[in-house]
Amino acid sequence: MNFELTKEQEMTRKMVRDFAVETIQPRAIDIDKNGEFPEDIFKEMGKLGLLGIPFPEEYGGAGGDTVTYALAAEEIGRVCGSTGLSYAAAVSLGASPLYYFGTEEQKQEYLVPLAKGEALGSFGLTEPNAGSDAGGTKTTAKLEGDHYVINGEKCWITNAEYARSITVTAVSGKREDGKNIISAFIIPQDTPGMSIKSDYDKMGVRGSNTSEIVLEDVKVPKENILGDPEGGFKQFLHTLDGGRISIASLAVGIAQASLDRALEYAKERKQFGQAISNFQAIQFKLADMAMEVELARNMVLKAAWLKDQGKPFTKESAYAKLFASETAFRSANQAIQIHGGYGYMREYEVERYLRDAKLLEIGEGTSEIQRLVIARQLGC
């Protein structure tokens, strides 16, 4: 086993860390407080090539790999969960399905602008009554001549308001066994009949755009169907497997930030005549945090490596997402405890880490769904 990063991976990590610290971190509190999507930051990230890291150069990407992308997501998440979430969604949910399942024409039309960082993509899966039960999709797509007519509603969709195109899932027919056929469709942003609202008032990741999409007789040409017309369900399961690596990377970033802040504070804070880092109760908290952060990071990188090697990674991505997201929440919670009353105040930031981390136990498959995925991979 070789746990060393390549020179290219190290260089990218340093570049992203420098950008995150210099450009994103000074605005992180305001991004959260105001709940405003930092569109200008994403334009800068696009120019740096961050939105195209895992895609080939022939499609406008940087020609990197999943490990490099995971490192970048961690560094962005370390300073701002909101920016990190929108970044992860843009790459793993917005662009990746186009790369893995799109035709050459679709890649040129829709993937290239995303990989070049000129636009954002979005993925519409969740519905008001179809969250963990993604197979319970109610949105419909009916073929009429050379067009599909789509009707339905999607909720909690990341980046939708700022996306150049949105890939949505819809029931397009019935299989021989009576079960629904779910297909995926690429819908350009300005398509008539599609309305997008971003009125959610969220607990955390407040600067990440989260939208509701209403589709009323939306017409898209037949050639906008993504991949296998009858394989939409399998396609989004594969998409979610990769997306879980992204969310796990973001979680590691938040967990690392929690540890960094807690350790720094513990060394500075004096109680009973000495730094609280001298007290065993605090030392044990910090030791547990450090251990879990490193274990989570190793699991994320293993899942990313397996994906890069073309090996099965469904179980490992579920391991990574489950453990890293729960680690992020525990670490942020302990960071608040170590800070005491100061940890409850916005200016010390650790309270934001907790609010941001909570979503990671819910989005891209809840912790309960991750355990279900793992159990099925075990043959249960």
Side-chain angles (χ1 to χ4, degrees):
M1 297 183 204
N2 181 3
F3 290 93
E4 289 183 330
L5 299 177
T6 66
K7 289 182 179 180
E8 290 78 10
Q9 289 165 345
E10 288 278 16
M11 287 173 58
T12 301
R13 181 165 69 173
K14 183 181 184 306
M15 181 264 288
V16 178
R17 175 173 294 184
D18 291 345
F19 173 78
V21 171
E22 294 168 10
T23 303
I24 306 174
Q25 190 164 23
R27 293 174 53 188
I29 291 178
D30 287 338
I31 287 172
D32 172 73
K33 186 176 181 179
N34 300 325
E36 295 178 356
F37 180 76
E39 192 171 7
D40 59 319
I41 287 178
F42 274 86
K43 288 180 180 177
E44 290 187 54
M45 290 165 61
K47 292 176 183 176
L48 288 174
L50 304 189
L51 293 165
I53 285 177
F55 305 114
E57 294 178 6
E58 63 184 291
Y59 296 118
D65 54 18
T66 311
V67 169
T68 307
Y69 165 56
L71 295 170
E74 177 186 335
E75 293 300 331
I76 295 170
R78 195 170 63 89
V79 300
C80 181
S82 294
T83 306
L85 180 65
S86 279
Y87 172 65
V91 178
S92 66
L93 298 183
S96 288
L98 299 170
Y99 173 61
Y100 288 115
F101 308 114
T103 63
E104 188 61 30
E105 291 76 17
Q106 289 171 344
K107 290 177 182 177
Q108 294 297 332
E109 172 69 23
Y110 299 106
L111 173 61
V112 169
L114 305 187
K116 284 184 174 180
E118 298 171 351
L120 296 177
S122 185
F123 186 70
L125 172 63
T126 305
E127 299 183 3
N129 294 305
S132 293
D133 178 19
T137 296
K138 300 298 182 187
T139 298
T140 60
K142 294 184 179 179
L143 183 60
E144 296 183 3
D146 59 353
H147 284 73
Y148 279 94
V149 179
I150 304 174
N151 285 279
E153 183 179 349
K154 301 291 182 177
C155 62
W156 309 323
I157 307 305
T158 306
N159 297 341
E161 185 179 339
Y162 297 89
R164 182 178 183 270
S165 62
I166 303 171
T167 302
V168 303
T169 54
V171 176
S172 59
K174 291 280 187 182
R175 295 189 336 205
E176 290 183 0
D177 59 6
K179 293 184 178 180
N180 287 336
I181 296 172
I182 298 179
S183 305
F185 300 86
I186 305 168
I187 306 179
Q189 174 68 270
D190 56 356
T191 302
M194 180 169 70
S195 59
I196 299 171
K197 295 188 299 181
S198 305
D199 298 331
Y200 297 119
D201 189 6
K202 299 178 294 183
M203 169 183 166
V205 290
R206 292 172 48 79
S208 175
N209 175 248
T210 308
S211 304
E212 174 189 18
I213 304 172
V214 177
L215 305 156
E216 295 180 306
D217 293 330
V218 174
K219 288 185 177 182
V220 295
K222 281 197 301 186
E223 54 265 27
N224 278 35
I225 198 164
L226 181 64
D228 181 356
E230 298 188 11
F233 194 83
K234 288 183 178 180
Q235 288 174 188
F236 73 64
L237 288 180
H238 180 81
T239 299
L240 292 177
D241 283 345
R244 284 165 185 158
I245 297 174
S246 303
I247 296 300
S249 304
L250 171 58
V252 171
I254 293 175
Q256 182 68 58
S258 300
L259 172 61
D260 292 344
R261 289 297 178 93
L263 181 58
E264 180 183 15
Y265 181 83
K267 289 179 177 179
E268 295 176 354
R269 176 68 166 163
K270 298 289 195 298
Q271 291 282 271
F272 306 103
Q274 57 183 312
I276 64 172
S277 61
N278 290 333
F279 299 128
Q280 194 175 65
I282 302 299
Q283 291 174 351
F284 282 7
K285 289 181 187 296
L286 292 167
D288 285 344
M289 291 165 70
M291 173 183 66
E292 291 194 6
V293 170
E294 186 64 15
L295 292 173
R297 179 179 292 113
N298 284 340
M299 195 66 246
V300 170
L301 293 176
K302 180 178 180 180
W305 180 84
L306 287 170
K307 184 173 185 290
D308 286 335
Q309 301 303 311
K311 298 176 183 291
F313 65 98
T314 296
K315 181 174 64 178
E316 287 76 12
S317 67
Y319 283 160
K321 197 272 186 184
L322 173 61
F323 187 72
S325 62
E326 295 192 348
T327 291
F329 188 82
R330 283 192 296 267
S331 295
N333 194 35
Q334 290 289 38
I336 293 173
Q337 193 70 19
I338 290 170
H339 278 73
Y342 292 106
Y344 212 66
M345 302 300 138
R346 190 186 296 271
E347 65 184 287
Y348 282 81
E349 300 195 79
V350 288
E351 60 83 32
R352 186 181 84 240
Y353 300 158
L354 184 74
R355 290 186 288 108
D356 289 352
K358 185 58 202 175
L359 178 71
L360 308 185
E361 296 182 321
I362 299 170
E364 292 260 6
T366 62
S367 291
E368 291 75 18
I369 289 295
Q370 303 311 313
R371 289 181 166 91
L372 183 63
V373 169
I374 293 166
R376 287 179 175 173
Q377 288 291 310
L378 295 175
C380 296

